[in-house]
Amino acid sequence: MLNKFLKGGYVSESIGKKTALAIAVGLHLTVSDASAFHGFNQADPILSLVAIADDFEGDIDDEVESEVEAEVEEDVEAQVEEDIETEVEEDVEAEVEEDIEAEVEKDIEAEVEEDIEAEVEEDIEAEVEEGIEAEVEEDIEAEVEEGIEAEVEEDIEGDVEEDIESEVEKDIEAEVEEDIEAEVEEDIEAEVGEDIEAKVEEEIELEVGEELEDSVEDSVDGYIEDEGEAEFDEKVEDETDEKLEDDWDDELENKDVEQVVADSISIQALEDKIDYQIDYDNYRIFTTDWLILTDLNDTELLSQGLSIVSRELLSSLNKELLRVEAPASFTFNNNGKALVEGLSNQNRTIDFNHVYDIANTTSPANDSANRKLTPRQVLKLPAIASSTKIGIIDTRINLQHPVLVDANIQQQGFEERPELQNSNAHGTAVASILVGSLDSYQGLLENAELFSSSVFFSSGQQLSITTTQSLVLALDWQVNQGVRVINLSLAGPPNDILQTAISNYCERGITIVAAVGNNGPNAPAMFPAAYDCVVGVTAITEQNRIYRRAVRGEHVDVSAFGVNVYSAAYDQGFQQMSGTSFATPFVSAYILFQKQLGRIQSAQDLDNLSVNLLDLGEPGRDSVFGIGALPIGYTVSP
């Protein structure tokens, strides 16, 4: 009814909607209903209805606003949710894409790195293999050129000596005795002298060996560059055989063949007589006998019931050197070693009779390109008094050689087997370097008195050998003669008895000078040069290069000229010799002069002389040249 009243056109527009509303409300409500409203004025109902209408309008407005606000809030919330969902989806998609891209990149990088590493490793392996092959080939060529020369020359020298002895013995005995014996017999009595045996051995060793070495050296250079290793070996072998045949033919045309046969038989006999033993350190010993260096009248030792083979007084040591048979129960093992050590004490030294070789090598026969420097051209020392003494332990000396016939030489033999004396070439050469004198040749110490102990004898297995017993006896004699510098051109194994004797002499101011040996740069240290108080000498060339066969090591003390040294041959002439043993006399003479001036007393004082030496190789002392080298052409001031 209210709506009809309001919309039916009953209300004039002039009344106003609010009045109309009040009238409508009044019509709708009864008076009792209207009077329920607070403040309803029955006297003026219209006015009261208008007031109620105002309240209704406010309530309606509030409800409308509430509904509108609710609807708006719902709409806004819906819109916001849509917007948020959209933004969240976009953000999530962006983050997911970034995460996926990062993970994909990592996976790709890992896979790519693995692939690259695999490829790189394959490439590197291929390149390394190619590079190593190229480098190895270059290194092998270089090493072959350097190494084969030294090895082949050393092998050929050793093989030549062995082949000459074995092949010649068989061939000459079989062929020469049948074909030539009848023709040669008539000439033997008239032409063969006492020196044939020595000449044959020496000339074969020096002439044939030197020509062969020189020929092989020339061939080595050409073959290494032009031929493969297999072809090189075949050609060296062929050339060696041809050279041996030619040189032997030449030798046999000029030599007494029957004497050569006798020499060959003699060599075989020596091989039968000398049977080396090996001790528990794998060193050669002359016999199984023991050597004992002990106090005089060692009653405790004598009570052991040992069988004495020989007994020598060593007055320079105030001791005895006994040679006894080893007990029947002795063997070369740990038990045997313990037995020997158990009998040794502070005053008694026991060891074996070890074998030592001469430190000798000849130079190439074709020496026309080498300067023939006399000793005093190599090292010039001031004149010394005629009473000055120097000693050598070596082979026998040819005292009739023109360069030595006027020299003051005292010679004494200490050979283990004096009946098997060998060539005197080595000792003669060393003696000429020290005290030789001719108008055209001057030794280092022309006026000195030389004491020579000959200790070497011939062997079928080694051309020249000596023993511990011979060396100790020779040293004793030298010291008793008042010699203060002793030159040894030999090398071999360590020996407790030899070391004890040498240490005693060193403590008394006697200087032992020894060659370090010619067994090659990789060989172990050799004795006596390797003993602390011994002066170990190596050899250098005229160009201050190390001798290629010299032993190297911490025991090398000093270097001197020792390659193509011009020295006396065993007969009447001269020859050029190489080896550490030919450098040793230069150092011995130099030390003797310095000892006389009080500048040096022992091997430990060598550093005092380094200011006058050439520092070759690494700065300071080294294992190749020692503390330095005596300058070639050096003039020593008094």
Side-chain angles (χ1 to χ4, degrees):
M1 181 176 180
L2 177 60
N3 291 332
K4 183 177 180 182
F5 174 78
L6 290 174
K7 298 178 180 179
Y10 299 109
V11 182
S12 172
E13 290 182 0
S14 62
I15 298 175
K17 290 183 179 181
K18 186 178 293 187
T19 303
L21 177 62
I23 293 171
V25 171
L27 293 175
H28 180 68
L29 297 174
T30 65
V31 175
S32 61
D33 292 330
S35 63
F37 286 94
H38 177 71
F40 182 79
N41 190 353
Q42 296 180 356
D44 193 358
I46 296 299
L47 181 60
S48 297
L49 290 172
V50 170
I52 293 171
D54 289 335
D55 292 336
F56 267 96
E57 185 178 11
D59 294 336
I60 291 170
D61 290 337
D62 291 337
E63 290 178 2
V64 169
E65 286 178 359
S66 298
E67 290 177 359
V68 169
E69 286 177 0
E71 290 178 0
V72 169
E73 285 177 357
E74 291 176 358
D75 294 337
V76 169
E77 286 177 0
Q79 185 63 42
V80 168
E81 287 177 356
E82 291 178 0
D83 294 339
I84 289 173
E85 288 177 357
T86 301
E87 291 179 0
V88 168
E89 288 177 357
E90 292 177 355
D91 293 339
V92 169
E93 288 178 359
E95 291 177 0
V96 169
E97 288 177 355
E98 291 176 0
D99 294 339
I100 290 174
E101 288 178 357
E103 292 178 359
V104 169
E105 288 178 356
K106 290 180 181 179
D107 294 338
I108 290 174
E109 287 178 359
E111 293 177 0
V112 168
E113 287 177 356
E114 292 176 358
D115 293 339
I116 289 175
E117 286 178 358
E119 293 178 1
V120 168
E121 287 177 355
E122 293 176 359
D123 294 338
I124 288 175
E125 289 177 358
E127 293 176 2
V128 167
E129 289 177 356
E130 294 175 0
I132 288 177
E133 288 178 359
E135 292 177 2
V136 168
E137 289 176 356
E138 293 175 359
D139 292 341
I140 287 175
E141 290 178 359
E143 291 175 1
V144 165
E145 291 179 355
E146 296 174 0
I148 288 183
E149 288 185 19
E151 294 177 3
V152 169
E153 290 170 1
E154 292 174 5
D155 292 341
I156 287 179
E157 285 187 359
D159 292 340
V160 165
E161 292 175 354
E162 295 176 2
D163 292 341
I164 286 175
E165 291 177 0
S166 60
E167 294 177 11
V168 171
E169 287 167 12
K170 297 176 182 178
D171 295 340
I172 292 182
E173 287 180 28
E175 299 175 8
V176 174
E177 287 181 348
E178 296 176 0
D179 300 333
I180 305 179
E181 183 175 0
E183 299 177 2
V184 174
E185 285 179 351
E186 296 177 358
D187 298 330
I188 289 176
E189 296 178 358
E191 299 179 1
V192 176
E194 296 179 354
D195 296 332
I196 289 295
E197 178 178 354
K199 287 184 179 180
V200 168
E201 288 184 7
E202 197 66 27
E203 290 182 12
I204 288 173
E205 182 183 352
L206 298 179
E207 298 174 10
V208 177
E210 290 173 3
E211 290 176 8
L212 178 60
E213 180 181 355
D214 189 44
S215 175
V216 170
E217 285 181 342
D218 293 337
S219 301
V220 165
D221 294 333
Y223 290 152
I224 288 178
E225 295 176 359
D226 301 331
E227 303 292 336
E229 291 185 39
E231 295 180 2
F232 169 74
D233 292 336
E234 293 176 2
K235 291 185 178 181
V236 169
E237 184 178 357
D238 293 342
E239 183 169 341
T240 299
D241 294 339
E242 294 175 2
K243 189 65 178 176
L244 283 172
E245 292 176 4
D246 294 342
D247 288 336
W248 270 105
D249 289 342
D250 294 340
E251 289 295 327
L252 293 176
E253 288 179 1
N254 300 315
K255 304 299 178 186
D256 181 349
V257 179
E258 187 174 72
Q259 185 64 46
V260 175
V261 173
D263 294 340
S264 299
I265 296 173
S266 176
I267 290 174
Q268 182 62 50
L270 287 177
E271 291 180 345
D272 296 337
K273 291 179 181 179
I274 301 175
D275 183 19
Y276 297 118
Q277 303 291 324
I278 302 296
D279 69 5
Y280 32 62
D281 292 321
N282 205 33
Y283 295 125
R284 290 177 301 158
I285 56 176
F286 190 62
T287 65
T288 58
D289 294 342
W290 291 356
L291 290 181
I292 303 177
L293 181 65
T294 186
D295 293 336
L296 303 179
N297 298 317
D298 187 347
T299 56
E300 179 185 355
L301 176 67
L302 298 176
S303 66
Q304 300 292 328
L306 298 173
S307 177
I308 298 176
V309 177
S310 65
R311 190 171 185 174
E312 301 284 350
L313 171 65
L314 302 178
S315 58
S316 66
L317 297 173
N318 195 30
K319 286 183 176 292
E320 283 186 311
L321 181 64
L322 304 180
R323 182 168 173 175
V324 303
E325 292 182 1
S329 60
F330 173 77
T331 55
F332 288 107
N333 55 27
N334 290 335
N335 292 333
K337 191 172 185 179
L339 176 62
V340 172
E341 292 175 349
L343 290 174
S344 302
N345 57 38
Q346 184 177 358
N347 299 316
R348 183 192 305 138
T349 305
I350 303 177
D351 209 330
F352 303 108
N353 199 18
H354 286 107
V355 173
Y356 296 80
D357 301 317
I358 198 165
N360 175 33
T361 294
T362 59
S363 293
N366 181 15
D367 58 12
S368 59
N370 300 318
R371 289 202 300 162
K372 295 179 175 62
L373 298 175
T374 65
R376 286 184 59 83
Q377 288 176 312
V378 176
L379 177 65
K380 188 173 183 180
L381 298 170
I384 61 172
S386 58
S387 60
T388 303
K389 297 178 180 180
I390 191 168
I392 66 171
I393 298 179
D394 213 298
T395 71
R396 283 192 174 271
I397 299 172
N398 178 10
L399 299 177
Q400 302 306 312
H401 193 288
V403 78
L404 297 174
V405 68
D406 293 327
N408 186 3
I409 300 175
Q410 306 296 324
Q411 184 165 236
Q412 184 72 30
F414 298 93
E415 298 91 346
E416 184 89 22
R417 299 287 294 274
E419 74 277 12
L420 301 178
Q421 290 182 18
N422 69 333
S423 166
N424 54 20
H426 194 277
T428 301
V430 172
S432 69
I433 296 171
L434 287 170
V435 298
S437 179
L438 277 178
D439 291 341
S440 58
Y441 187 95
Q442 298 81 37
L444 300 170
L445 306 167
E446 291 180 277
N447 297 327
E449 184 176 7
L450 177 65
F451 289 83
S452 171
S453 301
S454 59
V455 296
F456 287 96
F457 61 95
S458 294
S459 163
Q461 296 167 318
Q462 298 288 335
L463 290 178
S464 300
I465 64 169
T466 187
T467 65
T468 304
Q469 183 175 12
S470 293
L471 294 179
V472 173
L473 294 174
L475 285 168
D476 176 67
W477 179 76
Q478 294 268 347
V479 174
N480 286 334
Q481 304 307 310
V483 177
R484 307 292 291 176
V485 175
I486 304 174
N487 184 102
L488 286 82
S489 299
L490 52 94
N495 182 279
D496 290 344
I497 290 177
L498 181 61
Q499 182 179 11
T500 299
I502 288 177
S503 296
N504 182 288
Y505 297 140
C506 289
E507 291 173 0
R508 292 155 56 182
I510 297 168
T511 303
I512 310 294
V513 185
V516 298
N518 307 316
N519 287 12
N522 297 320
M526 306 185 76
F527 298 83
Y531 291 132
D532 289 342
C533 74
V534 175
V535 180
V537 180
T538 190
I540 59 172
T541 68
E542 186 179 352
Q543 294 75 31
N544 293 325
R545 293 193 295 269
I546 193 66
Y547 177 52
R548 56 189 170 83
R549 296 179 184 171
V551 175
R552 303 180 184 185
E554 297 301 321
H555 62 293
V556 176
D557 292 310
V558 66
S559 324
F561 179 59
V563 179
N564 296 326
V565 179
Y566 193 54
S567 56
Y570 76 98
D571 51 10
Q572 304 299 307
F574 290 87
Q575 62 188 349
Q576 286 183 289
M577 304 285 282
S578 295
T580 56
S581 61
F582 299 107
T584 305
F586 289 99
V587 176
S588 295
Y590 179 72
I591 287 178
L592 175 64
F593 180 77
Q594 298 295 343
K595 284 175 72 76
Q596 288 186 328
L597 297 179
R599 297 173 182 170
I600 181 175
Q601 297 300 324
S602 66
Q604 284 69 31
D605 300 329
L606 279 178
D607 290 341
N608 298 339
L609 306 179
S610 61
V611 65
N612 299 321
L613 304 179
L614 291 176
D615 187 6
L616 304 177
E618 297 180 1
R621 187 185 185 101
D622 61 67
S623 61
V624 179
F625 299 96
I627 63 171
L630 283 172
I632 297 175
Y634 178 45
T635 299
V636 180
S637 58

